[in-house]
Each structure stands twice: as structure tokens, then as C-alpha cells.
Amino acid sequence: MVFRNVIVCRMVPGSEDKIAKTFGHYDKATRPQDFGVIGRILLSHHDLYIHIVERNEDPAVSGQTRGLPAFKEIAEAIGPYVTPYPRNWQNPSHSVAKEFYRWTAEGTGPAEGTGPDPAGRHLTVIVGRIKPGAEDNVARIFTESDAGTLPVEMSVTARWLYSIDDVYVHLLERSVAHTADDARIHDKPKFGKIMEELSPYISPYNQDAWRGPVDAVAKEYYRWRAEG
């Protein structure tokens, strides 16, 4: 089983290459897997920095909560480009988003393996704004929808929902890659229904740049997985 933490910060737009270079260096120079980390994905969305850390053990149990032994050096290196998002930030743990919903398709089982996409599944990261305190309502809407046929129609095998302040992060795992056929799925009445039900609670992160659901997808710019 893969355990994920989602870190959300503000980022200077256009600094992806500098941040990726820093992690690329330390992921090669050290052994994150010795500290329980088996993978990481870095993404950006407008001025947001999103860092998904993957572990093979629950960090709440193992106590291994830092991704690399060179944590301080990395923080200093990316400091000019990455700053805390939460208003009341006091320490690094306050940048970890809170998981408030998870669902896995029956009979699917957890993703396993060490390739770019474990078990041939593809991860899409959707970002928006969430109305403060709306997590229970959003979880209820997805609970009802995931009990129906829409996940099967969209090849969805699992999802995890997170929030941090007013930021909403939706990890969507699918059995096929994100394709142009998604436009047809987005036109389905059932998809429109869930979007309508979510609208009082979830909105685009950048309303001025919003044209449709594809604009909510974060851009991946770095990925590392442990060998073996």
C-alpha cells in the first residue's frame, strides 16, 4: 500500500526548473527510501506548489515524517521560490494538507509497483478552492457519486480529497491515461450533476483563467521513484 502526503505552498511562477533541479540533485545524492520515501511528484498550478510524497509505511506509525535527510538544505535552496500558503503557518507540518475523503473501487486494491505509474494507473491532480468548513458536504457528494456508475464510466480506480485553508486538492487515479475523450465524459449528465452539487463548495482556483474542467488540472514537472 502507498501512503501519500500532500504538501501545498505558494510558488514563484516559472520556478519549476529550479525546484526540480534541487530535488533531482538530492534524490540522487541521498537515499530517500532509507527514510521510508518511495516516490515523489512535484506539480504546479498558477502560484501553487504541490508536492506529493509517497511512502510504503504510514508516517504516523513509522515516525518518519521527513522526505530526505537533507531536509534543511532543500528548504534553504528552494526558499526563494517556495513560501508557506497557510495564514497561520508556524512549522513545516502546517503545509501538509488534510485528507478528508478517500475511495477505492471495489476489487481494485492498492496501487503497487515502482514504475512511473504503479500498476499501470495514472494519477491526475485537480486543484480548486474550497469553502471553509465544506469538507463534510464535499465528502458526502463524492460518497453518493462513487456508489454509482460514474467512476466506472470515467475509468476511475481511486480518489483522495485534501484541503488546506481554502485550497482543494483532488488526487484522481485512473486505469487509463488522461485523454481527449474526457471531453465526452464531461458532457455526461451525471458529471454535470456532481459539478452542480459541488458548485456551492468548490470553485476554480483562478476564476479569471477558468474555461472548463481541464483548467483545474495541475501540471507535473518532476517525478522520482525509488529503484527496486
Side-chain angles (χ1 to χ4, degrees):
M1 177 177 290
V2 175
F3 294 89
R4 293 188 175 103
N5 283 129
V6 177
I7 299 166
V8 179
C9 298
R10 293 192 187 277
M11 184 180 77
V12 176
S15 58
E16 288 91 343
D17 288 349
K18 297 180 180 67
I19 296 169
K21 183 178 180 180
T22 297
F23 277 99
H25 168 72
Y26 283 102
D27 282 334
K28 289 179 181 178
T30 65
R31 286 181 53 84
Q33 56 266 45
D34 291 342
F35 293 80
V37 175
I38 60 172
R40 80 175 77 254
I41 305 171
L42 302 182
L43 308 101
S44 61
H45 187 70
H46 298 290
D47 65 341
L48 288 181
Y49 161 91
I50 300 166
H51 183 170
I52 300 173
V53 181
E54 298 181 335
R55 293 179 170 87
N56 54 13
E57 290 184 272
D58 186 347
V61 176
S62 68
Q64 295 177 323
T65 59
R66 295 294 171 85
L68 282 174
F71 178 84
K72 184 177 179 181
E73 295 175 30
I74 294 171
E76 291 176 351
I78 68 174
Y81 317 109
V82 177
T83 55
Y85 187 89
R87 295 183 295 274
N88 300 319
W89 190 94
Q90 294 179 323
N91 59 64
S93 67
H94 292 165
S95 289
V96 180
K98 177 187 71 175
E99 180 185 312
F100 66 90
Y101 176 80
R102 70 167 61 184
W103 170 86
T104 302
E106 186 175 350
T108 301
E112 297 177 352
T114 57
D117 292 296
R121 301 176 200 166
H122 302 264
L123 191 69
T124 299
V125 179
I126 299 164
V127 183
R129 292 194 186 273
I130 186 168
K131 182 180 178 180
E135 287 86 353
D136 287 349
N137 286 312
V138 174
R140 171 183 54 80
I141 292 168
F142 274 105
T143 298
E144 294 171 357
S145 176
D146 288 336
T149 61
L150 187 59
V152 174
E153 294 171 22
M154 296 186 68
S155 303
V156 175
T157 55
R159 76 172 86 246
W160 299 261
L161 306 182
Y162 301 81
S163 66
I164 182 168
D165 279 14
D166 65 340
V167 175
Y168 162 81
V169 182
H170 180 164
L171 272 55
L172 186 68
E173 187 180 83
R174 304 172 68 180
S175 59
V176 296
H178 186 76
T179 67
D181 193 48
D182 285 344
R184 180 181 60 82
I185 297 294
H186 293 162
D187 288 336
K188 284 181 172 290
K190 280 180 282 190
F191 182 84
K193 180 177 181 292
I194 192 171
M195 293 296 287
E196 182 179 355
E197 291 177 348
L198 288 171
S199 63
Y201 314 111
I202 304 295
S203 59
Y205 181 76
N206 185 336
Q207 187 69 58
D208 293 339
W210 175 259
R211 297 180 304 277
V214 68
D215 294 318
V217 178
K219 179 184 72 175
E220 179 182 323
Y221 63 91
Y222 177 81
R223 180 182 292 225
W224 167 86
R225 289 196 68 82
E227 296 180 357

